[in-house]
């Protein structure tokens, strides 16, 4: 609120009045407190100008009547989303235009008139927050007068109740019975809103329930039901409110309502948790999460990482924490408990100014629909978005979703560097669409992970075409756990020899490669055009002949490979001999060799270690397991 000039102006008016009084009162601590004082200041200025027998701080019946009529106007049009009014709107609320005109002479800070097209008078409140406050004053007055018609009209649901069918039935068939019942149902009504147009109104309603604020308004509201026991019921309702299926941004308003009632308990508990060295051990309630989400959003320090699974709370509590993505660099939102409203919050974080989010992980979200992917992709195309890493592994992506992601890759500017689509069954058309994005001049993607994606030769053909494109920035390609056939591997390895291909890391772990495939890999290693530095062939059964073919590539003077992983490849003593011979070649660039989970015998290890003293050997790390299941040994 302090970023709004009108709010600062209201604050200044109230403070000026309080500082110049003979008897200074306690300074306002809440919005309701502040706006109540502001309204009194305006009434006092009116009396000082016109005089009268009453003291400046006393409200006459005429003052009360006029303010309540203005409150009715404010309330009825707040529900409709109107901020501009005409003479007929005033008359409908019982406001005499001439009477308002006189009143405007001294209260232009509350309500003003302007002339627009055809000199027709248009009326409005100076600021929406003033309209929201007067609307709350009117509605609270209607509650104290037990005006069931007005209250039932307001409390009815505009759509199926998001909480439960029982609550909806209760709201329709039962009149308001108490203050805590009225405020609870008013809160539920506000939580329905998508744009939060009733949020501040409901905060003011809760603030007006306090006797201290009713006293400031000098008899405008009948003081009733503000007993400590009733107020405690209201506070308990707020702390226990469960708002499943409601936007997390709306849920934060529950915490604000607590603050308007001057309850600092949740705020103090969160401060203690933040200071504690054992944050993860503290169980957080839903209201704790709302308070934490608000505080972390308002913090001047940008959070390095938000990982919802690290918080000891319920799924609903984690949902309430999602707005924190607006003030963090990395967000880990695992699991299938997010809905449309949550994706909207994430998209909002990606397009905010400034946007701090650089890494977003949405893995294992089966609720990620085509509409959600389209929303996130559109956010990536926004000029404010600076997202560099997006992880969508174990999500259900259709061809339509792939098309949306491709559009994001083609956008200008595109800052995305890492895209993880592992463990997703991608159809050939989907892969082709993605590759059309990779081929774009605007695409800056450097790492693409497609492990366990059921890729076919047709899909590999699309990938090969993208890697050959003049604009390809791709440096890391992960295709592990795809049952690639010899033609597909040959196609991909052929691309590595293309002068336009800049790929440096290729992972083909657990791809059921045959000896023919190792011939293709060796050919790529022999090419003087290959930029390959990291090769992972783990969990493929190489056999001695396969290792020998691979080593023919390692021995080539053109081979620049620095890291080779052959984990659980069933290597024999003969295979170890072939590797040792290749590592003696001149020059050898290999720095890391991982042979973990291979049943190497003493003789095999001896062969491997025998070359370490050779002057041509550049190996820095050698990892091996003598027997599967035993602790491994790493030689550095």
């Amino acid at each position: 609120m302090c970023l709004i000039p009108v709010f600062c102006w209201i604050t200044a008016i109230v403070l000026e009045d309080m500082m110049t009084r003979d008897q200074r009162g306690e300074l306002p601590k809440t919005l309701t407190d502040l706006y109540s004082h502001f309204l009194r200041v305006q009434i006092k200025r009116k009396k000082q100008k016109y005089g009268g027998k009453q003291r400046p701080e006393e409200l006459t019946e005429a003052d009360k009547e006029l303010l309540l009529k203005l409150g009715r106007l404010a309330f009825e049009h707040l529900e409709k989303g109107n901020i501009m009014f005409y003479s007929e709107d005033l008359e409908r609320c019982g406001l005499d235009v001439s009477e308002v005109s006189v009143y405007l002479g001294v209260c232009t800070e509350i309500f003003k008139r302007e002339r627009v097209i055809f000199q027709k008078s248009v009326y409005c409140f100076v600021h929406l927050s003033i309209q929201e406050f007067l609307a709350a004053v009117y509605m609270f007055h209607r509650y104290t007068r037990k005006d069931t018609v007005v209250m039932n009209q307001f409390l009815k649901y505009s759509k199926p109740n998001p909480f439960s069918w029982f609550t909806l039935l209760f709201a329709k068939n039962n009149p308001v019975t108490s203050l805590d019942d009225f405020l609870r149902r008013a809160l539920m009504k506000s939580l329905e809103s998508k744009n939060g147009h009733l949020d501040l109104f409901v905060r003011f309603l809760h603030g007006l329930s306090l006797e201290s604020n009713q006293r400031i308004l000098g008899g405008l509201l009948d003081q009733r039901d503000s007993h400590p026991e009733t107020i405690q019921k209201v506070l308990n309702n707020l702390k226990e409110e469960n708002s499943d299926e409601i936007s997390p941004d709306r849920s934060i308003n529950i915490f604000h309502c607590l603050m308007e009632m001057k309850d600092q308990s949740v705020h103090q508990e969160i401060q203690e948790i933040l200071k504690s060295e054992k944050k993860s051990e503290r169980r957080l309630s839903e209201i704790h999460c709302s308070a934490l989400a608000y505080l972390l959003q308002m913090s001047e320090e940008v959070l390095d990482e938000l990982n919802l699974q690290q918080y000891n709370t319920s799924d609903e509590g984690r949902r309430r924490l999602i707005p924190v993505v607006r003030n963090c660099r990395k967000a880990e939102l695992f699991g299938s408990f997010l809905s449309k409203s949550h994706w909207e919050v994430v998209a909002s974080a990606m397009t905010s100014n400034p946007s701090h989010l650089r890494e977003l992980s949405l893995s294992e979200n089966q609720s990620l629909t085509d509409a959600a992917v389209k929303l996130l992709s559109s956010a990536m195309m926004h000029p404010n978005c600076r997202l560099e890493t997006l992880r969508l592994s174990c999500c259900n992506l259709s061809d339509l979703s792939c098309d949306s992601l491709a559009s994001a890759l083609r956008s200008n500017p595109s800052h995305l560097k890492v895209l993880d689509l592992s463990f997703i069954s991608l159809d050939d058309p989907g892969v082709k669409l993605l590759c059309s994005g990779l081929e774009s001049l605007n695409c800056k993607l450097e790492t693409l992970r497609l492990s366990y994606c059921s890729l076919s030769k047709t899909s590999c053909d699309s990938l090969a075409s993208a890697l050959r494109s003049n604009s390809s920035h791709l440096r890391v390609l992960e295709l592990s756990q795809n049952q690639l056939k010899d033609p597909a591997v040959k196609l991909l390895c052929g691309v590595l020899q293309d002068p336009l291909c800049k790929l440096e890391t290729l992972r083909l772990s657990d791809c059921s490669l045959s000896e023919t495939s190792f011939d293709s890999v060796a050919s790529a290693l022999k090419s003087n055009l290959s930029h390959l530095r990291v090769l992972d062939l783990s969990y493929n059964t190489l056999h001695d002949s396969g290792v020998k073919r691979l080593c023919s590539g390692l021995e080539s003077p053109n081979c620049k490979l620095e890291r080779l992983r052959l984990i659980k490849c069933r290597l024999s003593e003969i295979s170890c001999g072939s590797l040792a011979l290749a590592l003696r070649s001149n020059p050898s660039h290999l720095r890391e060799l991982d042979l973990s989970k291979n049943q190497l015998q003493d003789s095999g290890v001896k062969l491997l270690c025998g070359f370490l003293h050779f002057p041509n050997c550049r190996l820095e790390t050698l990892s091996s397991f003598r027997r599967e299941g035993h602790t491994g040994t790493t030689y550095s």
Side-chain angles (χ1 to χ4, degrees):
M1 293 290 285
C2 292
L3 299 176
I4 303 172
V6 171
F7 176 77
C8 298
W9 169 76
I10 290 173
T11 306
I13 285 177
V14 171
L15 293 179
E16 179 187 24
D17 177 74
M18 298 188 77
M19 294 300 181
T20 54
R21 274 194 238 154
D22 293 335
Q23 292 182 336
R24 298 176 187 173
E26 185 181 17
L27 292 177
K29 294 182 178 179
T30 66
L31 280 178
T32 312
D33 200 347
L34 179 69
Y35 277 66
S36 297
H37 277 289
F38 173 72
L39 188 60
R40 289 303 303 273
V41 171
Q42 301 310 313
I43 299 299
K44 185 170 74 170
R45 288 182 176 182
K46 172 181 177 290
K47 291 182 179 297
Q48 288 172 343
K49 182 171 182 178
Y50 282 94
K53 296 181 180 180
Q54 295 84 8
R55 291 186 300 171
E57 59 271 14
E58 289 182 353
L59 287 175
T60 66
E61 289 302 318
D63 290 332
K64 294 178 184 178
E65 185 179 355
L66 184 60
L67 287 173
L68 290 172
K69 287 178 180 179
L70 283 172
R72 178 185 171 187
L73 177 72
F75 170 73
E76 291 182 357
H77 288 273
L78 178 66
E79 277 201 301
K80 300 173 184 177
N82 297 340
I83 60 174
M84 306 294 289
F85 323 110
Y86 301 97
S87 299
E88 52 268 30
D89 297 321
L90 273 64
E91 292 169 358
R92 195 176 296 115
C93 294
L95 285 163
D96 184 85
V97 176
S98 60
E99 179 187 21
V100 171
S101 299
V102 173
Y103 196 76
L104 288 174
V106 289
C107 285
T108 52
E109 289 88 351
I110 296 177
F111 201 64
K112 62 181 180 179
R113 177 179 61 188
E114 296 179 358
R115 292 189 182 276
V116 289
I117 302 174
F118 305 121
Q119 296 296 302
K120 185 175 182 179
S121 294
V122 175
Y123 302 85
C124 68
F125 291 94
V126 172
H127 191 257
L128 177 58
S129 60
I130 295 175
Q131 180 179 347
E132 291 166 312
F133 176 69
L134 284 173
V137 169
Y138 169 76
M139 178 50 65
F140 201 89
H141 180 266
R142 291 294 87 196
Y143 161 73
T144 61
R145 294 300 175 91
K146 301 300 179 183
D147 189 338
T148 56
V149 174
V150 173
M151 284 192 294
N152 289 340
Q153 181 67 22
F154 166 59
L155 294 174
K156 72 176 182 178
Y157 288 91
S158 59
K159 63 178 183 179
N161 183 21
F163 301 95
S164 71
W165 67 268
F166 176 78
T167 310
L168 175 59
L169 187 63
F170 180 86
K172 288 182 66 177
N173 298 329
N174 292 271
V176 172
T177 57
S178 61
L179 178 63
D180 57 294
D181 178 44
F182 167 62
L183 292 178
R184 179 179 61 84
R185 287 159 69 173
L187 175 67
M188 291 164 63
K189 172 73 176 183
S190 72
L191 291 175
E192 280 190 303
S193 170
K194 291 184 178 180
N195 59 9
H197 74 293
L198 294 177
D199 282 1
L200 193 53
F201 164 78
V202 168
R203 286 165 63 179
F204 282 135
L205 268 183
H206 281 78
L208 290 171
S209 68
L210 297 183
E211 185 180 354
S212 58
N213 287 326
Q214 295 170 6
R215 191 165 51 248
I216 294 171
L217 292 174
L220 181 60
L221 299 176
D222 297 329
Q223 296 183 29
R224 54 188 296 177
D225 289 350
S226 295
H227 306 296
E229 299 83 4
T230 305
I231 295 300
Q232 190 58 51
K233 283 184 179 179
V234 175
L235 296 175
N236 291 341
N237 287 342
L238 289 171
K239 293 176 183 179
E240 296 168 5
E241 187 61 66
N242 191 329
S243 55
D244 284 341
E245 303 303 322
I246 296 299
S247 166
D249 283 329
R250 302 281 70 74
S251 298
I252 288 177
N253 202 48
I254 301 173
F255 170 65
H256 288 311
C257 290
L258 273 177
M259 299 299 285
E260 288 303 315
M261 297 188 70
K262 299 182 180 180
D263 184 286
Q264 298 286 331
S265 60
V266 173
H267 183 272
Q268 291 169 355
E269 289 167 6
I270 287 298
Q271 295 288 7
E272 292 173 4
I273 291 172
L274 291 174
K275 293 176 183 177
S276 172
E277 295 181 358
K278 299 180 179 180
K279 301 183 183 67
S280 60
E281 295 181 6
R282 293 286 297 269
R283 176 72 179 181
L284 299 180
S285 65
E286 284 80 6
I287 191 63
H288 280 140
C289 292
S290 290
L292 183 58
Y294 174 72
L295 293 176
L296 291 177
Q297 279 190 92
M298 295 299 104
S299 173
E300 293 182 1
E301 183 178 350
V302 180
L303 196 67
D304 284 332
E305 181 179 356
L306 170 68
N307 188 338
L308 296 184
Q309 299 304 319
Q310 290 180 350
Y311 292 91
N312 185 7
T313 185
S314 62
D315 280 349
E316 169 59 18
R318 294 187 181 93
R319 279 190 280 265
R320 292 198 187 189
L321 287 168
I322 289 176
V324 182
V325 297
R326 294 191 179 99
N327 197 35
C328 73
R329 297 184 180 89
K330 178 182 179 181
E332 302 274 356
L333 309 180
F334 294 105
S336 301
F337 58 92
L338 306 183
S339 64
K340 180 184 176 183
S341 62
H342 305 112
W343 302 127
E344 289 172 348
V345 174
V346 175
S348 170
M350 293 165 66
T351 58
S352 60
N353 187 17
S355 177
H356 304 290
L357 201 61
R358 298 294 181 271
E359 186 172 338
L360 178 61
S361 180
L362 303 175
S363 300
E364 299 181 31
N365 272 293
Q366 300 300 319
S367 59
L368 193 66
T369 61
D370 290 336
V373 175
K374 186 175 182 179
L375 182 68
L376 296 174
S377 298
S378 297
M380 283 191 282
M381 298 161 67
H382 195 279
N384 290 340
C385 183
R386 295 292 184 276
L387 195 70
E388 297 176 358
T389 299
L390 177 62
R391 294 190 174 91
L392 299 174
S393 61
C394 292
C395 295
N396 293 325
L397 298 188
S398 67
D399 294 348
L400 192 59
S401 294
C402 292
D403 192 22
S404 299
L405 289 172
S407 297
L409 294 175
R410 286 192 293 266
S411 67
N412 186 16
S414 174
H415 297 273
L416 204 66
K417 299 287 192 297
V418 179
L419 179 60
D420 187 352
L421 301 177
S422 301
F423 293 90
I424 299 173
S425 293
L426 296 175
D427 296 329
D428 293 336
V431 176
K432 188 175 182 179
L433 286 167
L434 280 172
C435 291
S436 69
L438 292 174
E439 294 172 353
S440 170
L441 292 171
N442 294 324
C443 180
K444 303 295 188 298
L445 201 68
E446 296 177 359
T447 299
L448 177 61
R449 295 192 170 97
L450 297 173
S451 297
Y452 222 122
C453 289
S454 305
L455 299 183
S456 68
K457 179 182 179 297
T458 303
S459 294
C460 291
D461 193 15
S462 299
L463 285 169
S465 176
L467 291 169
R468 285 196 193 95
S469 68
N470 192 36
S471 58
S472 177
H473 293 264
L474 211 62
R475 298 293 181 271
V476 178
L477 179 60
E478 186 166 326
L479 302 175
S480 299
Q481 294 176 299
N482 285 290
Q483 300 300 307
L484 300 179
K485 305 298 182 182
D486 292 337
V489 176
K490 185 177 182 180
L491 193 64
L492 289 169
C493 290
V495 175
L496 295 175
Q497 304 172 52
D498 192 289
L500 295 178
C501 179
K502 304 295 188 299
L503 201 68
E504 297 175 357
T505 298
L506 178 62
R507 294 192 172 95
L508 298 173
S509 174
D510 195 12
C511 286
S512 302
L513 302 186
S514 69
E515 293 183 7
T516 305
S517 294
F518 293 123
D519 270 335
S520 300
V521 173
S523 296
L525 294 176
K526 294 174 185 176
S527 170
N528 64 345
L529 297 174
S530 174
H531 295 267
L532 206 62
R533 297 292 181 273
V534 179
L535 178 61
D536 188 353
L537 299 174
S538 302
Y539 296 92
N540 288 291
T541 303
L542 268 69
H543 301 297
D544 294 337
S545 57
V547 175
K548 187 174 182 179
R549 295 183 186 198
L550 178 65
C551 289
S552 68
L554 294 174
E555 294 170 353
S556 171
N558 292 326
C559 179
K560 303 295 189 300
L561 203 65
E562 297 176 0
R563 296 169 64 188
L564 176 62
R565 290 180 179 172
L566 298 174
I567 301 171
K568 201 173 183 179
C569 288
R570 297 187 182 181
L571 301 184
S572 68
E573 180 182 349
I574 297 175
S575 297
C576 292
S578 299
L579 284 170
L581 186 63
L583 292 169
R584 292 193 192 104
S585 64
N586 185 17
S588 174
H589 296 271
L590 210 63
R591 297 290 184 272
E592 179 182 333
L593 178 60
D594 192 343
L595 303 177
S596 304
K597 298 186 180 180
N598 283 288
Q599 296 179 343
L600 304 179
Q601 303 301 316
D602 291 339
S603 55
V605 174
K606 185 175 181 180
L607 283 170
L608 286 168
C609 294
F611 71 87
L612 293 177
H613 66 277
F614 275 73
N616 294 333
C617 179
R618 301 288 187 274
L619 201 66
E620 297 171 357
T621 301
L622 172 61
S623 302
S624 67
F625 277 63
R626 295 195 64 182
R627 287 187 300 275
E628 186 177 346
H630 284 220
T631 302
T633 304
T634 300
Y635 306 93
S636 297

